[in-house]
């Protein structure tokens, strides 16, 4: 059951969102529950202790009299729940860009209007999350868990392009669709952990084979679906062609 956390210094808004969400959970048959409706961020964080489930977080930005604002609270939540859904509900539309500056990956930024309009947007967010969770369960989505600094992240495998050894000893760089992370590890261990889905194209590279669109045989480079290129070694050429297929165009570009 997915826990829902609410943090707003306005008691009326807190109660409105709680009642709205409880009604929508009942009507939609969602496997969700209200874990806490707090006016102080510390109460929300305490409610997260020992909770392993991916959560849903409705947060105000301007938490008057609190030790942190909604963005700082979002950062703390991200450290504990890298896959959680963050939704900001606030009276300050101009601050929406701050969610990007803090790298919070918020699902939505709802500007408070009248209660009926705000409730409609909250319901829409819940519906989007419910559909996304259902799709992920249907696909048995797999994640790669990594500790980067003091933050634990859960990255969907389909969002990862490749891993490459860093210039520093025992350091690996993860290159994804939306981010680049540096962490301690080894290519050999990652190759064993991730299995056939990732191709060891080069001693320094481990590439997501689902993201490969072709290969430039003259330059010995894999062509990824986002336009990036990764090298492959002579030793890997046969295995790569066996795994990807055998078509080639007149420019020497190998197309799986």
């Amino acid at each position: 059951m997915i826990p829902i956390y609410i943090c707003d210094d306005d008691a009326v808004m807190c109660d409105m969102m709680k009642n709205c969400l409880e009604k929508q959970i009942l009507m939609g048959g969602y496997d969700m529950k209200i874990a806490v409706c707090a006016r102080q961020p510390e109460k929300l964080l305490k409610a997260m202790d020992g909770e392993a489930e991916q959560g849903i977080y409705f947060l105000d930005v301007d938490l008057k009299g609190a030790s942190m604002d909604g963005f700082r609270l979002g950062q703390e939540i991200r450290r504990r729940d890298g896959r959680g859904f963050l939704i900001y509900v606030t009276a300050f539309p101009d601050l929406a860009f701050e969610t990007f500056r803090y790298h919070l990956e918020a699902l939505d930024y709802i500007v408070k209007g009248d209660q009926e309009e705000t409730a409609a947007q909250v319901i829409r967010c819940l519906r989007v999350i419910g559909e996304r969770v259902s799709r992920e369960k249907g696909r048995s989505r797999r994640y790669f868990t990594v500790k980067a600094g003091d933050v634990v992240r859960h990255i969907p495998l389909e969002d990862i392009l490749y891993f490459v050894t860093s210039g520093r000893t025992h350091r690996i760089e993860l290159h994804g669709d939306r981010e680049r992370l540096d962490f301690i590890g080894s290519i050999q261990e990652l190759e064993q952990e991730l299995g056939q889905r990732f191709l060891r194209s080069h001693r320094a590279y481990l590439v997501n084979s689902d993201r490969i669109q072709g290969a430039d045989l003259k330059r010995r480079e894999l062509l990824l679906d986002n336009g990036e290129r990764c090298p492959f070694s002579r030793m890997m050429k046969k295995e790569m062609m066996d795994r990807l297929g055998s078509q080639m165009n007149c420019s020497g570009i190998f197309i799986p």
Side-chain angles (χ1 to χ4, degrees):
M1 186 171 289
I2 302 175
I4 299 177
Y5 303 85
I6 304 167
C7 189
D8 196 303
D9 62 358
D10 185 335
V12 174
M13 182 59 67
C14 250
D15 289 341
M16 185 278 290
M17 284 196 290
K18 181 175 182 291
N19 294 334
C20 172
L21 289 166
E22 286 178 336
K23 181 178 179 180
Q24 191 64 24
I25 289 169
L26 184 63
M27 292 176 59
Y30 296 120
D31 187 24
M32 302 173 184
K33 65 179 181 181
I34 304 294
V36 69
C37 187
R39 297 178 64 186
Q40 294 293 327
E42 292 81 7
K43 185 177 178 180
L44 183 150
L45 295 173
K46 184 177 180 180
M48 291 179 67
D49 289 346
E51 180 62 69
E53 286 286 341
Q54 175 187 24
I56 302 169
Y57 306 87
F58 288 91
L59 309 176
D60 190 10
V61 172
D62 186 23
L63 298 170
K64 296 181 178 64
S67 59
M68 62 184 82
D69 63 14
F71 296 130
R72 297 294 181 187
L73 176 57
Q75 285 185 315
E76 185 57 38
I77 290 169
R78 275 280 172 256
R79 292 190 182 96
R80 304 180 184 205
D81 182 1
R83 295 167 51 205
F85 298 97
L86 296 182
I87 302 103
Y88 282 96
V89 186
T90 178
F92 300 98
D94 295 340
L95 292 178
F97 182 75
E98 293 294 290
T99 61
F100 298 98
R101 189 169 73 85
Y102 282 93
H103 306 290
L104 294 171
E105 298 179 29
L107 175 72
D108 207 346
Y109 193 97
I110 299 172
V111 178
K112 294 177 182 177
D114 61 65
Q115 287 198 7
E116 186 175 339
E117 181 182 345
T118 302
Q121 294 185 70
V122 168
I123 290 169
R124 178 178 55 81
C125 283
L126 203 66
R127 190 174 297 130
V128 168
I129 293 169
E131 292 172 354
R132 185 175 298 183
V133 169
S134 295
R135 287 197 303 269
E136 290 180 6
K137 285 183 177 178
R139 291 199 306 259
S140 297
R141 199 177 200 191
R142 288 186 59 198
Y143 292 83
F144 175 71
T145 300
V146 58
K147 188 174 187 298
D150 61 349
V151 179
V152 176
R153 299 295 308 278
H154 305 279
I155 314 295
L157 292 188
E158 61 262 33
D159 291 349
I160 299 173
L161 293 160
Y162 60 90
F163 298 91
V164 60
T165 56
S166 171
R168 295 182 292 166
T169 306
H170 304 305
R171 304 294 299 190
I172 301 291
E173 287 183 4
L174 180 157
H175 290 245
D177 285 323
R178 294 180 293 275
E179 59 196 331
R180 182 179 297 184
L181 300 174
D182 179 271
F183 61 96
I184 297 173
S186 76
I187 288 289
Q188 291 84 356
E189 292 174 357
L190 287 174
E191 185 178 13
Q192 293 178 0
E193 176 185 346
L194 297 171
Q196 290 295 308
R197 186 169 184 169
F198 283 76
L199 173 69
R200 182 76 177 274
S201 68
H202 183 278
R203 63 183 178 83
Y205 281 80
L206 188 63
V207 183
N208 188 344
S209 58
D210 293 339
R211 306 299 301 270
I212 299 173
Q213 284 196 328
D216 187 330
L217 300 184
K218 293 180 180 179
R219 297 183 178 182
R220 294 206 307 274
E221 292 178 333
L222 295 173
L223 313 178
L224 305 187
D225 58 14
N226 73 329
E228 289 192 58
R229 292 175 174 241
C230 294
F232 66 85
S233 65
R234 288 191 179 92
M235 293 177 60
M236 284 302 302
K237 180 179 177 180
K238 184 179 184 307
E239 180 181 346
M240 179 198 70
M241 294 182 72
D242 288 343
R243 286 180 59 176
L244 299 182
S246 58
Q247 298 179 17
M248 187 185 303
N249 66 20
C250 60
S251 300
I253 303 297
F254 175 79
I255 305 173

